[in-house]
Amino acid sequence: MKKSILITFLLCTALSWTQEISGEWNGVLKVQGLQLRLVFNIQQTEDGTYSATMDSPDQGAKGIPVDETIFVNDSLKLSILRAGIRYEGMLTEQQEISGTFRQAGQALPLDLRREIVEKAPVLRPQEPKEPLPYRSEDITFDNPEAGITLAGTLTLPEAGENFPAVILISGSGPQDRDESLLGHKPFLVLSDHLTRNGIAVLRFDDRGTASSGGDFSSATSLDFASDAEAALAYLKTRTEIDPARLGLIGHSEGGLIAPMVAVSSEEVGFIVLLAGPGVSGYDILLQQTELIYRANGMEASELQAELDLLQGALDIIVNTREETALQPELNQYYLQKFEENPSQVPEGMTAEALAQTYASRLGTVWMRYFLTYDPVPSLQRISCPVLALNGSKDLQVPATQNLNAIRDALQKGGNKNVTVKSMDNLNHLFQEAGSGSPSEYATIEQTFSPVALKEISDWILKTVE
């Protein structure tokens, strides 16, 4: 009789403990040096099964439906099919869930707890701290051509007047004024260095991003050039700035945009191209993909398959004339390829969902413009001084391919005041790097090489003296 009572007690205890899965579960996903908070909200339904939603606070996403929630024998399985997300974990005696998060072929450890889990502090020693030895002013300016207002920050040396000034033009993707990415703020560090050296700096949020108005998704590099021209017009209204010593610094896509503005505006006295393209986006994307996959250790046969897949998509983008037909054609292309080669579809994701993801990512007006735009004609027309820098380990805008093209174009146009330099061991963000792979960016403590910073400020000060 006592044995029967004990068994009944143990069974009831186990059932009671199992039901404790309901509620909020918090964890921090660590991927490529980034920390991403995730929250799973699990509820038990009336029929004893479970449902759940997922929040990603750092991405501003909340209430993402979980398609499958299974909890049996202390084993939890969660699936979000359209995102290709799967989570499997075990509930421990400490009321924690120890498990693995899977997405896009990656398997990452993710432990969940009931209490809020804080991210570990990230060290970025180059970011300036108060009090600053210069003036910093949040400003707005209008782009009347686009009918939008842009927001930014103007930093000015503490003392003096008639300062030389630069406008920072960011790389691709929706960027804020600091060009924040992967835990780094390159434009904040760059503007701090330049202003400490007597150069005023205007950096601003991309249109449709952070505090700037407008629509980012419908814009191309040409539209961003219009925003930079509006920033130039604003600087000319500031009495602290010397209008005869205005320049542009463009990083990545910004290095494509700066020459556009320099050609259309006589007020541009100099430009600095940081990892700026010298060839078409079509050529850059193909070489970029090959170099990054090689650096990440992809097998030669798999790499060639990925390059063939990408080139087929790029050809569709370049050759499809009707904008409305672009995404459907890309979707059909990718779906056919994934059905022919199921191994290219990550576990837990359907070929249809993956095809739609690729089509929506690549089938944009920005991508079509970027692929087909040739920077050479603008470079040939630039008459002002130019500094072009690339990191020797830049895998996104490869140094040899692009610096040679920039130098050739400028020389062909007759520009004699040109400095072109490949900087040893620096990556696309001008960090001192190992392989140069983007997977390293977040893990590197340094935001911007001091050697590169000095190269930029020394050249500007010499140019404007």
Side-chain angles (χ1 to χ4, degrees), residues 68-144:
E68 184 181 54
T69 306
I70 300 174
F71 184 61
V72 178
N73 297 329
D74 302 329
S75 173
L76 176 66
K77 295 182 180 180
L78 303 167
S79 299
I80 303 176
L81 299 178
R82 59 200 161 281
I85 292 173
R86 292 180 61 196
Y87 178 76
E88 297 183 6
M90 291 294 297
L91 181 64
T92 69
E93 293 182 2
Q94 290 75 35
Q95 286 289 285
E96 297 180 359
I97 301 173
S98 178
T100 302
F101 180 97
R102 302 178 189 275
Q103 186 180 30
Q106 289 187 299
L108 304 167
L110 177 63
D111 295 338
L112 302 175
R113 300 176 182 175
R114 290 197 179 277
E115 66 270 18
I116 295 176
V117 180
E118 298 294 339
K119 296 190 289 186
V122 178
L123 296 178
R124 296 292 182 250
Q126 288 177 291
E127 292 185 7
K129 297 176 178 60
E130 301 283 353
L132 301 174
Y134 52 81
R135 292 171 283 168
S136 180
E137 179 183 344
D138 290 336
I139 56 92
T140 60
F141 59 93
D142 294 330
N143 179 346

Side-chain angles (χ1 to χ4, degrees), residues 156-448:
L156 297 157
E158 188 64 46
E161 58 184 1
N162 290 328
F163 302 115
V166 294
I167 296 165
L168 305 188
I169 309 173
S170 66
S172 60
Q175 303 282 354
D176 66 17
R177 67 195 68 185
D178 296 328
E179 204 183 34
S180 301
L181 74 165
L182 299 174
H184 289 283
K185 298 181 178 181
F187 276 8
L188 173 62
V189 172
L190 177 58
S191 64
D192 175 72
H193 172 80
L194 294 176
T195 310
R196 288 174 187 265
N197 282 275
I199 303 164
V201 181
L202 173 59
R203 63 191 199 274
F204 61 96
D205 303 327
D206 287 349
R207 64 166 66 189
T209 305
S211 298
S212 286
D215 179 18
F216 182 89
S217 64
S218 63
T220 68
S221 302
L222 191 62
D223 297 306
F224 300 133
S226 172
D227 295 340
E229 289 172 355
L232 194 63
Y234 170 78
L235 278 187
K236 291 168 60 181
T237 69
R238 299 291 302 231
T239 57
E240 309 96 327
I241 304 298
D242 183 351
R245 297 191 293 169
L246 298 177
L248 307 172
I249 300 179
H251 176 235
S252 196
E253 185 195 1
L256 191 78
I257 294 166
M260 296 181 183
V261 180
V263 167
S264 64
S265 176
E266 295 181 355
E267 287 85 3
V268 177
F270 59 90
I271 61 173
V272 178
L273 308 180
L274 302 177
V279 299
S280 71
Y282 184 101
D283 293 331
I284 287 176
L285 281 186
L286 287 175
Q287 187 170 19
Q288 173 190 110
T289 301
E290 179 177 359
L291 291 173
I292 291 174
Y293 283 164
R294 283 192 191 280
N296 292 343
M298 183 176 284
E299 295 288 340
S301 58
E302 185 182 358
L303 171 59
Q304 190 56 55
E306 290 291 339
L307 290 174
D308 292 342
L309 183 68
L310 175 62
Q311 187 163 11
L314 299 186
D315 288 341
I316 290 172
I317 297 169
V318 169
N319 295 317
T320 300
R321 299 304 173 194
E322 292 296 328
E323 185 178 324
T324 55
L326 183 53
Q327 286 200 15
E329 288 201 25
L330 282 171
N331 189 74
Q332 182 180 3
Y333 166 77
Y334 275 113
L335 183 57
Q336 179 183 338
K337 293 296 183 181
F338 293 147
E339 288 176 342
E340 292 173 355
N341 300 283
S343 62
Q344 291 183 305
V345 181
E347 183 182 357
M349 197 170 196
T350 65
E352 290 81 3
L354 187 59
Q356 188 173 23
T357 298
Y358 273 91
S360 60
R361 185 182 302 165
L362 294 177
T364 65
V365 292
W366 178 88
M367 181 61 74
R368 185 205 294 272
Y369 190 93
F370 178 68
L371 292 178
T372 58
Y373 180 77
D374 180 4
V376 169
S378 288
L379 289 167
Q380 290 178 341
R381 295 174 58 193
I382 294 174
S383 57
C384 67
V386 178
L387 171 65
L389 301 178
N390 264 75
S392 66
K393 293 185 176 180
D394 187 340
L395 305 186
Q396 291 188 253
V397 182
T400 301
Q401 178 192 46
N402 290 278
L403 285 181
N404 287 344
I406 290 170
R407 180 191 293 108
D408 292 345
L410 291 168
Q411 289 178 348
K412 188 174 181 179
N415 194 330
K416 304 297 184 183
N417 197 340
V418 175
T419 302
V420 177
K421 187 172 185 178
S422 176
M423 306 202 70
D424 291 342
N425 299 318
L426 302 189
N427 63 18
H428 185 63
L429 301 187
F430 291 85
Q431 300 167 303
E432 296 168 21
S435 69
S437 171
S439 64
E440 295 179 341
Y441 295 169
T443 66
I444 299 173
E445 187 176 279
Q446 182 185 82
T447 295
F448 210 119

Side-chain angles (χ1 to χ4, degrees), residues 141-154:
F141 59 93
D142 294 330
N143 179 346
E145 179 182 326
I148 61 175
T149 299
L150 299 152
T153 299
L154 176 64

